[in-house]
Amino acid sequence: MTRIRAVLVLPLATAALVAAGCGSKSDTVATKGTQSLSLMLDYYPNADHVGIYRGAAEGDFTRAGLKVAIQQPGDTTSPLKLLAAGKVDLAISYEP
């Protein structure tokens, strides 16, 4: 009985997973104007920042109504200090 159940359940589960992976979703973001935003990186641009630069290059921020100014710190301790002082809107910090 268990083997028959496994023979029936496995193909059905596989079909369900395949069907779930076939869908697609498209979100539309409606904006009213553009908001400027400054983002301080944690270090020089590197692989950790790919998502940020790709979003900027492909216009994702613009479509969301954001004008993002990506900045590089002169010192790795600067991002959090500048954020605390209100000089930047967002800061990325690394975990030592």
Side-chain angles (χ1 to χ4, degrees):
M1 181 80 165
T2 305
R3 186 170 187 187
I4 293 172
R5 185 178 290 171
V7 169
L8 293 175
V9 171
L10 186 59
L12 291 175
T14 303
L17 288 173
V18 169
C22 291
S24 66
K25 181 179 177 184
S26 177
D27 290 331
T28 304
V29 178
T31 61
K32 294 180 181 180
T34 302
Q35 181 178 350
S36 294
L37 179 71
S38 58
L39 170 65
M40 176 68 71
L41 301 178
D42 56 343
Y43 196 61
Y44 297 110
N46 59 53
D48 295 338
H49 308 123
V50 168
I52 295 167
Y53 281 104
R54 183 172 181 189
E58 293 186 2
D60 294 340
F61 298 136
T62 304
R63 281 192 296 280
L66 297 172
K67 182 179 178 183
V68 179
I70 302 170
Q71 303 172 11
Q72 302 169 21
D75 178 19
T76 57
T77 61
S78 297
L80 293 179
K81 291 177 184 177
L82 292 170
L83 181 65
K87 303 290 183 182
V88 295
D89 298 310
L90 295 172
I92 298 174
S93 179
Y94 70 97
E95 184 177 341

